[in-house]
Amino acid sequence: AGSRRVTLGTMPDFAFEGPGVRVAQVTPGSPAEGAGIREGDVVLAIDALRLQGLADLSAALKAHQPGDTVKVTLLRAGQELQLTITLTAR
């Protein structure tokens, strides 16, 4: 059995240069929505892993299984916030 893919439930802004991954869209009913992530937030880190861009986010999520809880550090309106999110299968 291959590893299950997990998701935060966000669509990235592919034009964003980083560092981090800017959220272009939040999927309704997703873990991201439940945790309060909003459009325009920039995800800076998953647990201790700082994200330079999309590849880092993918790698961070690949290391987890559905049901795992991660700490997400994000930037909103110039302020860093930390949210705890339980990942779901994609």
Side-chain angles (χ1 to χ4, degrees):
S3 70
R4 305 264 308 274
R5 299 291 301 275
V6 296
T7 183
L8 287 176
T10 57
M11 277 295 298
D13 175 350
F14 291 102
F16 185 65
E17 300 281 311
V21 176
R22 185 162 61 202
V23 176
Q25 201 179 341
V26 178
T27 308
S30 68
E33 186 189 57
I37 291 180
R38 298 182 198 156
E39 219 171 279
D41 287 350
V42 177
V43 179
L44 298 176
I46 303 281
D47 289 332
L49 180 71
R50 299 297 286 189
L51 308 179
Q52 287 309 306
L54 218 43
D56 291 344
L57 178 61
S58 296
L61 292 177
K62 274 189 191 124
H64 290 281
Q65 296 294 315
D68 285 357
T69 299
V70 294
K71 267 198 177 50
V72 176
T73 304
L74 49 86
L75 189 64
R76 176 183 296 157
Q79 300 212 313
E80 277 197 24
L81 310 175
Q82 269 213 334
L83 302 174
T84 302
I85 297 185
T86 302
L87 300 171
T88 57
R90 187 157 116 159

Coordinates of all heavy atoms in Angstrom, one line a residue:
A1 N 0.9 -1.2 0.0 CA 0.0 0.0 0.0 C 0.9 1.2 0.0 O 1.8 1.4 0.8 CB -0.9 0.0 1.2
G2 N 0.6 2.1 -0.9 CA 1.4 3.4 -1.0 C 0.9 4.3 0.1 O -0.1 4.1 0.8
S3 N 1.7 5.4 0.4 CA 1.3 6.3 1.4 C 0.1 7.1 0.9 O 0.1 7.5 -0.2 CB 2.5 7.2 1.8 OG 2.8 8.1 0.8
R4 N -0.8 7.4 1.8 CA -1.9 8.3 1.5 C -1.5 9.7 1.4 O -0.7 10.1 2.2 CB -3.0 8.1 2.6 CG -3.4 6.7 2.9 CD -4.7 6.3 2.2 NE -5.8 7.2 2.3 CZ -6.6 7.2 3.3 NH1 -6.5 6.3 4.3 NH2 -7.6 8.0 3.4
R5 N -2.0 10.4 0.5 CA -1.7 11.9 0.4 C -2.5 12.6 1.3 O -3.7 12.2 1.5 CB -2.0 12.4 -1.1 CG -1.1 11.7 -2.1 CD 0.3 12.1 -2.1 NE 0.6 13.5 -2.2 CZ 0.7 14.1 -3.4 NH1 0.6 13.5 -4.5 NH2 1.0 15.4 -3.4
V6 N -2.0 13.6 2.0 CA -2.8 14.4 2.9 C -2.9 15.9 2.3 O -2.1 16.3 1.5 CB -2.2 14.5 4.3 CG1 -2.2 13.1 4.9 CG2 -0.8 15.1 4.3
T7 N -3.9 16.6 2.8 CA -4.1 17.9 2.4 C -4.5 18.9 3.5 O -5.0 18.4 4.5 CB -5.2 18.0 1.3 OG1 -5.4 19.3 0.8 CG2 -6.6 17.5 1.9
L8 N -4.1 20.1 3.4 CA -4.6 21.2 4.3 C -5.9 21.7 3.8 O -6.7 22.2 4.6 CB -3.6 22.4 4.3 CG -2.3 22.3 4.9 CD1 -1.5 23.5 4.7 CD2 -2.4 22.0 6.4
G9 N -6.2 21.6 2.5 CA -7.4 22.1 1.9 C -7.2 23.5 1.4 O -8.2 24.3 1.5
T10 N -6.0 23.8 0.9 CA -5.8 25.2 0.4 C -5.3 25.0 -1.1 O -4.7 24.0 -1.4 CB -4.7 25.9 1.1 OG1 -3.5 25.1 1.1 CG2 -5.1 26.2 2.6
M11 N -5.6 26.0 -1.9 CA -5.1 26.1 -3.2 C -4.0 27.2 -3.2 O -4.3 28.3 -2.7 CB -6.2 26.6 -4.2 CG -7.1 25.4 -4.7 SD -6.1 24.2 -5.7 CE -5.6 25.3 -7.1
P12 N -2.8 26.9 -3.6 CA -1.7 27.9 -3.5 C -1.9 29.0 -4.6 O -2.4 28.7 -5.7 CB -0.5 27.1 -3.7 CG -0.9 25.9 -4.5 CD -2.3 25.7 -4.2
D13 N -1.3 30.1 -4.4 CA -1.1 31.2 -5.3 C 0.2 30.9 -6.1 O 1.2 31.2 -5.5 CB -1.1 32.6 -4.6 CG -0.8 33.7 -5.6 OD1 -0.5 33.5 -6.7 OD2 -0.9 34.9 -5.1
F14 N 0.1 30.4 -7.3 CA 1.3 29.9 -8.0 C 2.2 31.1 -8.4 O 3.4 30.9 -8.7 CB 0.9 29.1 -9.2 CG 0.3 27.8 -8.8 CD1 -1.1 27.6 -8.9 CD2 1.1 26.7 -8.4 CE1 -1.6 26.3 -8.5 CE2 0.6 25.5 -8.0 CZ -0.8 25.3 -8.1
A15 N 1.7 32.3 -8.5 CA 2.5 33.5 -8.9 C 3.3 34.0 -7.7 O 4.2 34.8 -7.9 CB 1.5 34.6 -9.4
F16 N 3.0 33.6 -6.5 CA 3.6 34.2 -5.3 C 5.1 33.7 -5.3 O 5.4 32.5 -5.4 CB 2.9 33.7 -4.0 CG 3.4 34.3 -2.8 CD1 3.3 35.7 -2.5 CD2 4.0 33.6 -1.8 CE1 3.8 36.3 -1.4 CE2 4.5 34.1 -0.6 CZ 4.4 35.5 -0.4
E17 N 6.0 34.7 -5.1 CA 7.5 34.3 -5.1 C 8.0 33.7 -3.8 O 9.1 33.3 -3.8 CB 8.2 35.6 -5.4 CG 7.8 36.3 -6.7 CD 8.5 35.6 -8.0 OE1 9.7 35.4 -7.9 OE2 7.7 35.3 -8.9
G18 N 7.3 33.8 -2.7 CA 7.8 33.3 -1.5 C 8.6 34.4 -0.8 O 8.7 35.5 -1.3
P19 N 9.3 34.1 0.4 CA 9.2 32.8 1.0 C 7.8 32.5 1.5 O 7.0 33.4 1.8 CB 10.2 32.9 2.2 CG 10.2 34.4 2.5 CD 10.0 35.1 1.2
G20 N 7.5 31.2 1.7 CA 6.2 30.7 2.1 C 5.3 30.4 0.9 O 5.8 30.5 -0.3
V21 N 4.1 30.1 1.2 CA 3.1 29.7 0.2 C 1.9 30.5 0.5 O 1.3 30.4 1.5 CB 2.8 28.2 0.2 CG1 1.7 27.9 -0.8 CG2 4.0 27.4 -0.1
R22 N 1.5 31.4 -0.4 CA 0.3 32.2 -0.2 C -0.9 31.4 -0.6 O -1.0 30.8 -1.6 CB 0.3 33.6 -1.0 CG -0.9 34.4 -0.7 CD -0.7 35.9 -1.0 NE -0.5 36.0 -2.5 CZ 0.1 37.1 -3.0 NH1 0.6 38.1 -2.3 NH2 0.2 37.2 -4.3
V23 N -2.0 31.5 0.2 CA -3.2 30.8 0.0 C -4.1 31.6 -1.0 O -4.5 32.8 -0.7 CB -4.0 30.6 1.3 CG1 -5.3 29.9 1.1 CG2 -3.1 29.8 2.3
A24 N -4.4 31.0 -2.1 CA -5.3 31.7 -3.1 C -6.8 31.3 -2.8 O -7.6 32.1 -3.1 CB -4.9 31.3 -4.5
Q25 N -7.0 30.1 -2.2 CA -8.3 29.7 -2.0 C -8.3 28.6 -0.9 O -7.4 27.9 -0.8 CB -8.8 29.0 -3.3 CG -10.3 28.9 -3.5 CD -10.7 28.3 -4.8 OE1 -9.8 28.2 -5.7 NE2 -11.8 27.8 -4.9
V26 N -9.4 28.6 -0.1 CA -9.6 27.7 1.0 C -10.8 26.8 0.6 O -11.8 27.3 0.3 CB -9.8 28.3 2.3 CG1 -10.0 27.3 3.4 CG2 -8.6 29.2 2.7
T27 N -10.6 25.5 0.6 CA -11.6 24.6 0.2 C -12.7 24.5 1.4 O -12.3 24.3 2.5 CB -11.0 23.1 0.0 OG1 -10.0 23.2 -0.9 CG2 -12.1 22.2 -0.5
P28 N -14.0 24.7 1.0 CA -15.0 24.6 2.0 C -15.0 23.2 2.7 O -14.9 22.2 2.1 CB -16.3 24.8 1.3 CG -15.9 25.6 0.0 CD -14.5 25.1 -0.3
G29 N -15.1 23.2 4.0 CA -15.2 22.0 4.8 C -13.8 21.3 5.0 O -13.7 20.3 5.6
S30 N -12.7 22.0 4.6 CA -11.4 21.4 4.7 C -10.8 21.7 6.1 O -11.3 22.6 6.8 CB -10.5 22.1 3.7 OG -10.3 23.4 4.0
P31 N -9.7 21.0 6.4 CA -9.0 21.3 7.7 C -8.6 22.7 7.8 O -8.6 23.3 8.9 CB -7.8 20.4 7.7 CG -8.1 19.3 6.7 CD -9.1 19.9 5.7
A32 N -8.1 23.3 6.7 CA -7.7 24.7 6.7 C -8.8 25.6 7.1 O -8.7 26.5 7.9 CB -7.2 25.1 5.3
E33 N -10.0 25.4 6.5 CA -11.2 26.2 6.8 C -11.5 26.1 8.3 O -11.8 27.1 9.0 CB -12.4 25.9 5.9 CG -13.5 26.9 6.2 CD -14.8 26.4 5.5 OE1 -15.3 25.3 5.8 OE2 -15.4 27.2 4.7
G34 N -11.5 24.9 8.8 CA -11.8 24.6 10.2 C -10.9 25.3 11.1 O -11.3 25.7 12.2
A35 N -9.6 25.4 10.7 CA -8.6 26.0 11.6 C -8.6 27.5 11.5 O -7.9 28.2 12.2 CB -7.2 25.4 11.2
G36 N -9.3 28.1 10.5 CA -9.4 29.5 10.3 C -8.4 30.1 9.3 O -8.2 31.3 9.3
I37 N -7.8 29.3 8.5 CA -6.9 29.8 7.5 C -7.8 30.6 6.4 O -8.8 30.1 6.1 CB -6.1 28.7 6.8 CG1 -5.0 28.1 7.7 CG2 -5.4 29.2 5.5 CD1 -4.2 27.0 7.2
R38 N -7.3 31.7 6.0 CA -8.0 32.6 5.1 C -7.3 32.8 3.8 O -6.0 32.7 3.8 CB -8.3 33.9 5.7 CG -9.1 33.9 7.0 CD -9.3 35.3 7.5 NE -9.7 35.3 8.9 CZ -9.5 36.4 9.7 NH1 -8.9 37.5 9.2 NH2 -9.9 36.3 10.9
E39 N -8.0 33.1 2.8 CA -7.4 33.5 1.5 C -6.4 34.7 1.8 O -6.8 35.6 2.5 CB -8.6 34.1 0.6 CG -8.4 33.7 -0.8 CD -9.7 34.1 -1.5 OE1 -10.7 33.3 -1.5 OE2 -9.8 35.1 -2.2
G40 N -5.3 34.6 1.2 CA -4.3 35.7 1.3 C -3.3 35.4 2.5 O -2.2 36.1 2.5
D41 N -3.6 34.5 3.3 CA -2.6 34.1 4.4 C -1.4 33.5 3.7 O -1.5 32.9 2.6 CB -3.2 33.0 5.3 CG -4.2 33.6 6.3 OD1 -4.3 34.8 6.4 OD2 -4.9 32.8 7.0
V42 N -0.2 33.7 4.3 CA 1.0 33.0 3.7 C 1.5 32.0 4.7 O 1.8 32.3 5.9 CB 2.1 34.1 3.5 CG1 3.4 33.4 3.0 CG2 1.7 35.1 2.5
V43 N 1.5 30.7 4.3 CA 2.0 29.6 5.1 C 3.5 29.7 5.2 O 4.2 29.6 4.1 CB 1.5 28.3 4.6 CG1 2.0 27.1 5.5 CG2 0.0 28.2 4.6
L44 N 4.1 29.9 6.3 CA 5.5 30.1 6.5 C 6.2 28.8 6.9 O 7.4 28.6 6.6 CB 5.9 31.1 7.5 CG 5.4 32.6 7.2 CD1 5.7 33.5 8.4 CD2 6.0 33.1 5.9
A45 N 5.5 27.9 7.7 CA 6.1 26.7 8.2 C 5.1 25.7 8.5 O 3.9 26.0 8.9 CB 6.9 27.0 9.5
I46 N 5.5 24.4 8.4 CA 4.7 23.3 8.9 C 5.6 22.6 9.9 O 6.7 22.2 9.6 CB 4.4 22.3 7.7 CG1 3.7 22.9 6.6 CG2 3.7 21.1 8.3 CD1 2.2 23.1 6.7
D47 N 5.1 22.6 11.2 CA 5.9 22.2 12.3 C 7.2 23.0 12.3 O 7.1 24.2 12.2 CB 6.2 20.7 12.3 CG 4.9 19.9 12.6 OD1 4.0 20.4 13.3 OD2 4.7 18.7 12.2
A48 N 8.4 22.4 12.3 CA 9.6 23.2 12.4 C 10.2 23.5 11.0 O 11.2 24.2 10.9 CB 10.6 22.4 13.2
L49 N 9.5 23.0 9.9 CA 10.1 23.2 8.6 C 9.6 24.5 8.0 O 8.4 24.7 7.7 CB 9.6 22.0 7.7 CG 10.1 22.1 6.2 CD1 11.6 21.8 6.2 CD2 9.4 21.1 5.4
R50 N 10.6 25.4 7.8 CA 10.3 26.7 7.1 C 10.1 26.4 5.6 O 10.9 25.7 5.0 CB 11.4 27.7 7.3 CG 11.7 28.0 8.8 CD 10.6 28.7 9.5 NE 10.4 30.1 9.1 CZ 9.5 30.9 9.8 NH1 8.9 30.5 10.9 NH2 9.4 32.2 9.4
L51 N 9.1 27.0 5.1 CA 8.8 26.8 3.7 C 9.3 27.9 2.8 O 9.0 29.1 3.1 CB 7.3 26.7 3.5 CG 6.5 25.8 4.3 CD1 5.0 25.8 4.0 CD2 7.0 24.3 4.2
Q52 N 10.1 27.6 1.8 CA 10.6 28.6 0.8 C 9.5 28.7 -0.3 O 9.3 29.8 -0.8 CB 11.9 28.2 0.2 CG 13.1 28.4 1.1 CD 13.1 29.7 1.8 OE1 13.1 30.7 1.1 NE2 13.2 29.7 3.1
G53 N 8.8 27.6 -0.6 CA 7.8 27.7 -1.6 C 7.0 26.4 -1.6 O 7.0 25.6 -0.7
L54 N 6.4 26.2 -2.8 CA 5.4 25.1 -2.9 C 6.1 23.7 -2.8 O 5.5 22.8 -2.2 CB 4.8 25.2 -4.4 CG 3.4 24.8 -4.5 CD1 2.5 25.4 -3.4 CD2 2.9 25.3 -5.8
A55 N 7.3 23.5 -3.3 CA 8.0 22.2 -3.2 C 8.2 21.8 -1.7 O 8.0 20.6 -1.3 CB 9.3 22.2 -3.9
D56 N 8.5 22.8 -0.9 CA 8.7 22.5 0.6 C 7.4 22.1 1.2 O 7.3 21.2 2.1 CB 9.2 23.8 1.3 CG 10.7 24.1 0.9 OD1 11.3 23.2 0.3 OD2 11.1 25.2 1.2
L57 N 6.3 22.8 0.8 CA 4.9 22.5 1.4 C 4.6 21.0 1.0 O 4.2 20.2 1.8 CB 3.9 23.4 0.8 CG 2.4 23.1 1.3 CD1 2.3 23.2 2.8 CD2 1.5 24.1 0.6
S58 N 4.8 20.7 -0.3 CA 4.5 19.3 -0.7 C 5.3 18.3 0.1 O 4.8 17.3 0.5 CB 4.8 19.1 -2.2 OG 4.0 19.9 -3.0
A59 N 6.6 18.6 0.3 CA 7.5 17.6 1.0 C 7.0 17.5 2.4 O 7.0 16.4 3.0 CB 8.9 18.1 0.9
A60 N 6.6 18.6 3.0 CA 6.2 18.6 4.4 C 4.9 17.8 4.6 O 4.8 17.0 5.5 CB 5.9 20.0 4.9
L61 N 4.0 17.9 3.6 CA 2.8 17.1 3.7 C 3.0 15.7 3.4 O 2.3 14.8 4.0 CB 1.7 17.7 2.8 CG 1.2 19.1 3.2 CD1 0.3 19.7 2.1 CD2 0.6 19.1 4.5
K62 N 3.9 15.3 2.5 CA 4.2 13.9 2.2 C 4.7 13.2 3.4 O 4.6 11.9 3.4 CB 5.3 13.9 1.1 CG 4.6 14.0 -0.3 CD 5.7 13.7 -1.4 CE 5.2 14.0 -2.7 NZ 6.0 15.0 -3.5
A63 N 5.3 13.9 4.3 CA 5.9 13.2 5.5 C 4.8 12.8 6.5 O 5.1 12.2 7.5 CB 6.9 14.1 6.2
H64 N 3.5 13.1 6.2 CA 2.4 12.9 7.2 C 1.4 12.0 6.7 O 1.3 11.8 5.5 CB 1.8 14.2 7.6 CG 2.7 15.1 8.4 ND1 2.9 14.9 9.8 CD2 3.5 16.1 8.1 CE1 3.7 15.7 10.3 NE2 4.1 16.5 9.3
Q65 N 0.6 11.4 7.6 CA -0.5 10.5 7.3 C -1.8 11.3 7.6 O -1.8 12.1 8.5 CB -0.4 9.3 8.1 CG 0.8 8.4 7.8 CD 0.7 7.8 6.5 OE1 -0.3 7.3 6.0 NE2 1.8 7.9 5.8
P66 N -2.9 10.9 7.0 CA -4.2 11.4 7.4 C -4.4 11.2 8.9 O -4.1 10.2 9.5 CB -5.3 10.6 6.6 CG -4.5 10.1 5.4 CD -3.1 9.9 5.9
G67 N -4.9 12.3 9.6 CA -5.2 12.2 11.0 C -4.0 12.8 11.8 O -4.2 13.1 13.0
D68 N -2.9 13.0 11.2 CA -1.7 13.7 11.9 C -2.1 15.1 12.2 O -2.8 15.8 11.4 CB -0.5 13.7 11.0 CG 0.2 12.3 11.0 OD1 -0.3 11.4 11.7 OD2 1.2 12.2 10.3
T69 N -1.6 15.6 13.3 CA -1.8 17.0 13.6 C -0.5 17.8 13.4 O 0.6 17.3 13.8 CB -2.2 17.1 15.1 OG1 -3.5 16.4 15.2 CG2 -2.5 18.6 15.5
V70 N -0.6 18.9 12.8 CA 0.6 19.7 12.5 C 0.4 21.1 13.0 O -0.7 21.6 13.1 CB 1.0 19.8 11.0 CG1 1.4 18.4 10.5 CG2 -0.1 20.3 10.1
K71 N 1.5 21.8 13.3 CA 1.4 23.2 13.7 C 1.8 24.0 12.4 O 2.8 23.8 11.8 CB 2.5 23.6 14.7 CG 2.0 23.5 16.1 CD 2.9 24.2 17.1 CE 2.4 24.2 18.5 NZ 2.1 22.9 19.0
V72 N 0.9 24.9 12.1 CA 1.1 25.7 10.9 C 1.4 27.2 11.3 O 0.6 27.7 12.1 CB -0.2 25.7 10.0 CG1 0.0 26.6 8.8 CG2 -0.4 24.2 9.5
T73 N 2.5 27.7 10.8 CA 2.8 29.1 11.1 C 2.5 29.9 9.9 O 2.9 29.5 8.8 CB 4.3 29.3 11.4 OG1 4.7 28.4 12.5 CG2 4.7 30.7 11.8
L74 N 1.7 30.9 10.0 CA 1.3 31.7 8.9 C 1.4 33.2 9.2 O 1.5 33.6 10.3 CB 0.0 31.3 8.3 CG -1.2 31.2 9.2 CD1 -1.9 32.5 9.4 CD2 -2.2 30.2 8.5
L75 N 1.5 33.9 8.1 CA 1.6 35.4 8.1 C 0.3 36.0 7.6 O -0.2 35.6 6.5 CB 2.7 35.8 7.2 CG 3.2 37.3 7.3 CD1 3.7 37.6 8.7 CD2 4.2 37.6 6.2
R76 N -0.4 36.8 8.5 CA -1.6 37.4 8.1 C -1.5 38.9 8.5 O -1.3 39.2 9.7 CB -2.8 36.8 8.8 CG -4.1 37.5 8.5 CD -5.3 36.9 9.3 NE -5.5 35.5 8.9 CZ -6.1 34.6 9.7 NH1 -6.6 35.0 10.8 NH2 -6.3 33.4 9.2
A77 N -1.6 39.8 7.5 CA -1.6 41.2 7.8 C -0.4 41.6 8.6 O -0.5 42.4 9.6 CB -2.9 41.7 8.5
G78 N 0.8 41.0 8.2 CA 2.0 41.4 8.9 C 2.3 40.7 10.2 O 3.3 41.0 10.9
Q79 N 1.4 39.9 10.7 CA 1.5 39.2 12.0 C 1.7 37.7 11.8 O 0.9 37.1 11.0 CB 0.3 39.5 12.9 CG 0.2 40.9 13.2 CD -0.4 41.2 14.5 OE1 -1.4 40.5 14.9 NE2 0.2 42.1 15.3
E80 N 2.6 37.1 12.6 CA 2.7 35.6 12.5 C 1.7 35.0 13.5 O 1.5 35.4 14.6 CB 4.1 35.2 12.9 CG 5.1 35.2 11.7 CD 6.3 34.4 11.9 OE1 6.4 33.5 12.7 OE2 7.3 34.8 11.3
L81 N 1.0 34.0 13.0 CA 0.0 33.2 13.8 C 0.4 31.8 13.8 O 1.0 31.3 12.8 CB -1.4 33.3 13.2 CG -2.0 34.7 12.9 CD1 -3.3 34.5 12.2 CD2 -2.1 35.5 14.2
Q82 N 0.1 31.0 14.8 CA 0.3 29.6 14.8 C -1.1 28.9 15.0 O -1.8 29.2 15.9 CB 1.2 29.2 15.9 CG 2.6 29.1 15.5 CD 3.4 28.0 16.2 OE1 3.1 27.6 17.3 NE2 4.5 27.6 15.6
L83 N -1.4 28.0 14.1 CA -2.6 27.2 14.1 C -2.3 25.7 14.2 O -1.2 25.3 13.7 CB -3.5 27.5 12.9 CG -3.9 28.9 12.6 CD1 -4.6 29.0 11.3 CD2 -4.7 29.5 13.7
T84 N -3.1 25.0 14.8 CA -2.9 23.5 14.8 C -4.0 22.9 13.9 O -5.2 23.3 14.0 CB -3.1 23.0 16.3 OG1 -2.1 23.6 17.1 CG2 -2.8 21.5 16.3
I85 N -3.6 22.1 13.0 CA -4.5 21.5 12.0 C -4.3 20.0 11.9 O -3.2 19.5 12.0 CB -4.1 22.1 10.6 CG1 -4.4 23.6 10.6 CG2 -4.9 21.4 9.5 CD1 -4.2 24.3 9.3
T86 N -5.4 19.3 11.9 CA -5.4 17.9 11.7 C -5.6 17.6 10.2 O -6.6 18.0 9.6 CB -6.5 17.2 12.5 OG1 -6.3 17.5 13.9 CG2 -6.5 15.7 12.4
L87 N -4.7 16.9 9.6 CA -4.7 16.7 8.2 C -5.7 15.6 7.8 O -5.9 14.7 8.6 CB -3.3 16.2 7.7 CG -2.2 17.2 8.0 CD1 -0.8 16.6 7.8 CD2 -2.3 18.5 7.2
T88 N -6.2 15.7 6.6 CA -7.2 14.7 6.1 C -6.6 14.2 4.8 O -5.8 14.8 4.1 CB -8.6 15.3 5.8 OG1 -8.4 16.4 4.9 CG2 -9.2 15.8 7.1
A89 N -7.1 13.0 4.4 CA -6.7 12.4 3.1 C -7.2 13.3 2.0 O -8.3 13.9 2.1 CB -7.3 11.0 3.0
R90 N -6.4 13.3 0.9 CA -6.7 14.1 -0.2 C -7.6 13.4 -1.2 O -7.4 12.2 -1.4 CB -5.4 14.5 -0.8 CG -5.5 15.4 -1.9 CD -4.1 16.0 -2.0 NE -3.5 15.7 -3.3 CZ -2.6 16.4 -3.9 NH1 -2.0 17.4 -3.3 NH2 -2.1 16.0 -5.0

